[in-house]
Amino acid sequence: MLDPRGIYEVDEAAVARVLPAAAPGESTALSATGPVLLHSVRGFVDAGSTGELVAEHLLEEFEATRLVTFDVDQLLDYRSKRVTMVFDADRYASYDEPFLAIDHLRDAEGAGFLLLHGIEPDLQWERVIAALRDLVKRLDVSLVVGFHGIPMGIPHTRPLSATAHATRRELIEDHTSWFGTVKVPGSLGALLELRLGEAGVDALGFAVHVPHYLAQSPFPPAAVAVLENVQGATGLDLRVSALSTASQDALVEVERQMAESQEVTAVVRALEEQYDAFARSVGRTSLLAESAPIPTADELGAEFERFLAQQAGD
């Protein structure tokens, strides 16, 4: 493996200013009192744009100081992940430059925390993970927490659940496990958690369950669910209430669209019946309770997409 230090730069002056305890060479093990590192990078499954909405919320609500910048030019396959440019009449006006970085923020109570955000690398994952492991020590991190959204056969009219995972069961002992053993696509965030666990570093994450039929559009209620889970795990005050209006507006819009389609209303009601049946069957290992057959995720998604296409054509 190439030297991990060759793919990132640390702003030493900024680190000294916001994390004076994290002087070079002083931190050799995971701190019990250092800042939490939150992470969500774009590129993996993120139903409802959940992780992206949370990162945007944090950067809007709290002032950020850039501590670490990765050299993404070494890490991206530009032909498979085209970056957006703006063409204005007769010239290229701007370039949506990709980035991967760690910022320092302070929550509503003044407690400092870190945010790893930007674009998921296409290349050199193990080298990136090795760099992040070094930075976890270098920045005196106490806990690493990831988050994103996954599509699930649940209705938007019921509380959103989440799949919690961690390097130690004690970190998520208050959360129910919805799954047995399954194979899933890998991601940088998942590999980071695995490697940190192997190194004895505490890390956990939350995958909020987003209704299938809302997975392709930003869904603020899922972001609220993530923030509430992260607050519970870390003790940070992340100003969840600032997203309450956007969350309520999203639900109102879904209800409006449902009212215009009996078919969509029917499948959502079927999901409600299944959800309620599960709620009465606490202890089952599957998120889906035994009940009468209901539409599959594909059937539900196709019906909702058909309905939206009809609206767009009116």
Side-chain angles (χ1 to χ4, degrees):
M1 181 192 298
L2 297 173
D3 187 348
R5 292 172 296 182
I7 56 173
Y8 68 89
E9 292 185 358
V10 177
D11 185 333
E12 300 292 354
V15 171
R17 185 170 65 254
V18 300
L19 295 173
E26 289 190 6
S27 183
T28 59
L30 191 69
S31 169
T33 59
V36 171
L37 171 63
L38 307 182
H39 65 90
S40 180
V41 295
R42 301 190 306 275
F44 183 51
V45 174
D46 189 25
S49 300
T50 302
E52 187 173 351
L53 287 173
V54 170
E56 289 175 355
H57 166 78
L58 296 175
L59 293 169
E60 288 174 1
E61 290 296 316
F62 310 113
E63 182 178 354
T65 300
R66 182 62 45 88
L67 301 185
V68 180
T69 303
F70 282 83
D71 182 2
V72 296
D73 212 40
Q74 298 187 54
L75 306 175
L76 293 189
D77 178 354
Y78 288 92
R79 292 203 301 171
S80 67
K81 193 174 290 179
R82 299 284 180 176
V83 181
T84 301
M85 300 183 69
V86 173
F87 183 80
D88 184 7
D90 58 359
R91 66 188 179 91
Y92 289 101
S94 64
Y95 170 53
D96 187 13
E97 186 173 355
F99 72 94
L100 180 65
I102 297 177
D103 291 341
H104 179 275
L105 303 92
R106 294 193 183 279
D107 75 351
E109 299 296 327
F113 66 96
L114 305 174
L115 176 65
L116 169 66
H117 62 115
I119 195 163
E120 181 182 52
D122 296 306
L123 311 171
Q124 304 188 54
W125 277 15
E126 291 288 4
R127 190 182 183 200
V128 173
I129 297 302
L132 289 170
R133 283 178 53 184
D134 290 345
L135 288 165
V136 162
K137 290 184 179 181
R138 170 72 177 79
L139 301 176
D140 205 31
V141 170
S142 60
L143 179 68
V144 179
V145 184
F147 45 84
H148 67 286
I150 58 174
M152 189 68 68
I154 59 173
H156 68 278
T157 53
R158 299 294 185 269
L160 296 181
S161 54
T163 294
H165 43 85
T167 53
R168 293 189 296 114
R169 177 59 196 168
E170 292 80 2
L171 296 173
I172 53 171
E173 58 186 1
D174 293 334
H175 294 267
T176 300
S177 175
W178 303 112
F179 300 100
T181 301
V182 296
K183 291 185 177 181
V184 298
S187 67
L188 184 78
L191 183 58
L192 174 62
E193 185 174 311
L194 176 65
R195 295 291 186 242
L196 289 177
E198 293 171 346
V201 176
D202 282 348
L204 59 92
F206 299 103
V208 169
H209 305 154
V210 178
H212 303 88
Y213 50 96
L214 300 173
Q216 299 302 314
S217 302
F219 189 54
V224 169
V226 160
L227 289 167
E228 290 174 344
N229 276 287
V230 172
Q231 286 189 155
T234 65
L236 293 170
D237 183 345
L238 301 177
R239 291 180 183 160
V240 182
S241 60
L243 275 177
S244 60
T245 299
S247 180
Q248 289 300 318
D249 289 347
L251 293 174
V252 168
E253 176 60 18
V254 174
E255 289 293 330
R256 183 191 68 78
Q257 295 185 3
M258 276 183 57
E260 298 177 7
S261 171
Q262 294 182 351
E263 293 88 349
V264 172
T265 299
V267 291
V268 172
R269 295 293 177 259
L271 284 173
E272 290 176 333
E273 292 176 5
Q274 180 173 270
Y275 185 101
D276 294 341
F278 170 74
R280 294 190 296 268
S281 306
V282 176
R284 291 188 184 276
T285 57
S286 171
L287 181 61
L288 304 180
E290 295 177 2
S291 62
I294 66 167
T296 66
D298 289 342
E299 291 170 339
L300 179 60
E303 174 58 36
F304 207 76
E305 288 175 4
R306 183 188 66 78
F307 166 68
L308 294 179
Q310 289 178 338
Q311 307 312 302
D314 289 344

